[in-house]
């Protein structure tokens, strides 16, 4: 791990990601409570806010991926933070002016801007680190995201309750300003490599080239297949957690929060573990173990009638899912041509969420027509299938020579 923290570009990138994660959760929780207050708890208004926060993933993720490949990653992230700063400033203005309904439109702008940062962040990791350090870097990134799944809502809620909406938004200005500062401190050499993509072609041509790149590489097709199966299985079980708690464990529905917290804690520990063992275990072994045990733990979770056993399975599910996702992301960053990293990320993100939503949307009907056991066993089989397919992924140990170690 020492080699990562001695790399200036990586350290400042992680600090920027830390600030952005804090900012996103403060924004989401503050706006949620604000809309609840102003709309009188109108479920339509609340659901509209959720749609506005997630719709850009479908509409602009691929656009952000293509443009990340055409633009310089450091400059793209810097402008993303600047535009996020301006969007929060605009939200603050409309709130102070009393036009609270305008929050929806401005939130949409803020959510769109965020779609350009992730693929650019991945390009910086690929450029500034040698291949053998990429798995540990992706594990740390996964750990940070898992940590905020646990503490993000708590922090966002506490800040809103203590200082209110206006002060929360002002704190966001400081946070996104700080994130932009950290990006500015990343050495500009990450924006200049011999493999910089030719941006003279049209946007549609770049998008088409990205899709052709995926179709022409067996490794990427296998990875997409694993990703799709994983998302579908996760979607099947995600909305049925509460029925495991109420029907299998005979607990109150509010107790679901503790099992969700165990899942998030498992992801946190899994991310840390992945950072430690990535140099000792092959990526294919790590992914296979993670997905295979995820399938087994899914079987055990639905069969269990003991809260301690179910809680243990939830922890293991989060833990092993973090291992699998870390290995999968490491494959993509290490073995995908740098010119296509953004486009591949832009394709994978909406596909994952679409399959997640398809699984979630069909879970209720599936359970009503069969049983909760059938749904969970189907998901477990899907996870096991994904684990065996992942064995076909070629985890190359070849190290790139065109790395800017800064």
């Amino acid at each position: 791990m020492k080699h990562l923290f001695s790399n200036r570009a990586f350290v400042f990138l992680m600090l920027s990601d830390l600030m952005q994660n804090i900012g996103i959760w403060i924004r989401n929780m503050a706006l949620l409570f604000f809309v609840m207050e102003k709309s009188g708890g109108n479920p339509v208004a609340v659901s509209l806010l959720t749609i506005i926060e997630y719709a850009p993933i479908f509409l602009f993720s691929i656009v952000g991926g293509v443009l990340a490949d055409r633009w310089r990653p450091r400059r793209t992230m810097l402008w993303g933070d600047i535009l996020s700063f301006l969007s929060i400033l605009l939200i603050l203005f409309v709130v102070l002016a009393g036009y609270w309904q305008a929050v929806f439109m401005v939130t949409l702008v803020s959510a769109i801007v965020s779609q350009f940062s992730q693929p650019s962040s991945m390009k910086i990791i690929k450029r500034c680190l040698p291949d053998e350090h990429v798995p540990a870097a992706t594990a740390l990134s996964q750990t940070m995201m898992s940590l905020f799944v646990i503490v993000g809502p708590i922090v966002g809620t506490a800040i809103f309750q203590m200082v209110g909406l206006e002060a929360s938004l002002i704190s966001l200005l400081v946070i996104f300003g700080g994130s932009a500062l950290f990006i500015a401190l990343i050495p500009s050499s990450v924006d200049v490599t011999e493999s910089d993509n030719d941006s003279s072609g049209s946007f549609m041509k770049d998008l088409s080239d990205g899709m052709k790149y995926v179709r022409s590489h067996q490794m990427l097709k296998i990875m997409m297949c694993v990703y799709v199966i994983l998302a579908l299985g996760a979607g099947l079980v995600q909305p049925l957690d509460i029925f495991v708690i109420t029907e299998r464990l005979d607990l109150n529905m509010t107790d679901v929060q503790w099992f969700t917290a165990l899942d998030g804690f498992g992801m946190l520990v899994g991310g840390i573990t992945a950072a430690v063992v990535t140099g000792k275990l092959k990526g294919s072994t790590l992914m296979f173990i993670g997905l295979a045990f995820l399938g087994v733990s899914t079987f055990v979770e639905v069969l269990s009638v003991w809260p301690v056993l179910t809680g243990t399975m939830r922890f293991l599910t989060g833990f092993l899912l973090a291992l699998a996702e870390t290995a999968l992301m490491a494959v993509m960053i290490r073995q995908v041509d740098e010119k296509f990293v953004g486009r591949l990320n832009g394709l994978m993100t909406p596909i994952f969420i679409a399959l997640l939503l398809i699984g979630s949307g069909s879970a209720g009907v599936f359970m009503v027509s069969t049983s909760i056991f059938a749904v969970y066993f189907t998901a477990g089989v899907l996870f096991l299938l994904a684990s065996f397919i992942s064995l076909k992924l070629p985890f190359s140990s070849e190290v790139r020579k065109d790395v800017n170690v800064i």
Side-chain angles (χ1 to χ4, degrees):
M1 302 295 289
K2 183 179 179 181
H3 49 269
L4 293 179
F5 295 109
S6 62
N7 186 298
R8 279 186 59 200
F10 178 76
V11 169
F12 287 131
L13 181 65
M14 286 297 100
L15 288 173
S16 173
D17 284 349
L18 176 65
M19 300 290 279
Q20 287 186 6
N21 273 292
I22 295 173
I24 287 171
W25 277 108
I26 293 176
R27 181 197 69 187
N28 289 352
M29 299 309 295
L31 292 178
L32 172 63
F33 295 134
F34 176 71
V35 169
M36 281 286 290
E37 289 178 357
K38 290 296 183 179
S39 68
N42 189 325
V44 175
V46 174
S47 62
L48 179 60
L49 182 65
T50 303
I51 292 172
I52 286 174
E53 289 172 350
Y54 286 96
I57 296 176
F58 292 99
L59 301 176
F60 292 95
S61 180
I62 182 60
V63 176
V66 172
L67 295 181
D69 285 336
R70 291 168 64 90
W71 297 343
R72 297 177 178 180
R74 173 178 170 273
R75 183 180 297 179
T76 301
M77 293 191 69
L78 183 59
W79 274 106
D81 281 334
I82 292 172
L83 291 176
S84 293
F85 180 93
L86 294 176
S87 68
I88 297 300
L89 193 63
L90 189 55
I91 292 176
L92 181 60
F93 173 78
V94 297
V95 167
L96 293 176
Y99 304 109
W100 75 269
Q101 294 86 349
V103 164
F104 292 105
M105 182 58 65
V106 182
T107 301
L108 178 63
V109 174
S110 180
I112 290 172
V113 169
S114 65
Q115 296 309 307
F116 294 84
S117 291
Q118 184 178 4
S120 295
S121 175
M122 293 175 65
K123 287 180 74 72
I124 291 177
I125 289 177
K126 186 174 180 69
R127 287 185 175 185
C128 73
L129 292 173
D131 273 357
E132 66 268 22
H133 296 166
V134 167
T138 55
L140 282 177
S141 179
Q142 174 69 43
T143 300
M144 186 182 300
M145 292 180 63
S146 303
L147 177 63
F148 278 95
V149 168
I150 303 171
V151 303
I154 299 173
V155 173
T157 300
I159 291 177
F160 180 83
Q161 290 176 335
M162 288 188 295
V163 300
L165 178 68
E166 290 83 358
S168 295
L169 294 176
I170 292 173
S171 72
L172 287 176
L173 295 177
V174 177
I175 288 170
F176 282 111
S179 177
L181 176 61
F182 286 128
I183 293 298
L185 291 173
I186 293 176
S188 59
S189 57
V190 300
D191 272 347
V192 182
T193 69
E194 295 178 358
S195 59
D196 274 339
N197 192 32
D198 180 10
S199 61
S200 59
S202 68
F203 175 89
M204 292 307 298
K205 182 180 183 302
D206 284 352
L207 177 58
S208 176
D209 289 344
M211 293 181 176
K212 289 179 181 177
Y213 180 79
V214 173
R215 289 197 299 268
S216 63
H217 287 74
Q218 183 69 11
M219 183 270 288
L220 293 181
K221 288 190 286 187
I222 295 173
M223 185 168 66
M224 282 287 193
C225 184
V226 172
Y227 217 56
V228 164
I229 295 173
L230 179 62
L232 186 60
L236 283 173
V237 298
Q238 191 175 66
L240 303 184
D241 284 345
I242 193 166
F243 295 103
V244 171
I245 304 305
T246 57
E247 294 184 7
R248 298 297 299 156
L249 302 182
D250 199 27
L251 298 175
N252 191 288
M253 65 179 182
T254 58
D255 290 324
V256 71
Q257 61 180 313
W258 306 115
F259 293 89
T260 302
L262 282 172
D263 193 22
F265 183 63
M267 293 181 67
L268 174 63
V269 177
I272 296 173
T273 303
V276 174
V277 304
T278 44
K280 302 175 182 178
L281 290 178
K282 290 182 179 180
S284 55
T285 303
L286 194 63
M287 188 182 297
F288 173 76
I289 291 174
L291 290 173
F293 274 87
L294 180 59
V296 173
S297 67
T298 303
F299 297 147
V300 176
E301 184 177 341
V302 74
L303 292 172
S304 169
V305 293
W306 299 289
V308 173
L309 178 58
T310 301
T312 302
M313 290 301 103
R314 290 303 302 271
F315 172 81
L316 288 176
T317 297
F319 175 81
L320 297 166
L321 189 59
L323 290 182
E325 288 180 348
T326 298
L328 194 61
M329 292 304 294
V331 173
M332 189 177 78
I333 296 178
R334 293 177 66 181
Q335 299 192 33
V336 174
D337 190 322
E338 182 187 306
K339 295 187 296 183
F340 295 97
V341 167
R343 275 165 282 187
L344 183 60
N345 181 77
L347 284 170
M348 290 180 68
T349 301
I351 288 174
F352 184 86
I353 293 180
L355 268 294
L356 191 73
L357 292 178
I358 290 172
S360 297
S362 60
V365 177
F366 190 6
M367 177 178 166
V368 170
S369 60
T370 56
S371 68
I372 193 172
F373 299 102
V375 179
Y376 268 72
F377 270 72
T378 300
V381 170
L382 287 173
F383 293 142
L384 289 175
L385 176 62
S387 70
F388 286 106
I389 294 176
S390 71
L391 291 175
K392 296 182 177 293
L393 282 169
F395 284 71
S396 174
S397 59
E398 182 181 352
V399 180
R400 298 185 325 274
K401 304 300 182 183
D402 59 336
V403 177
N404 297 323
V405 182
I406 302 165

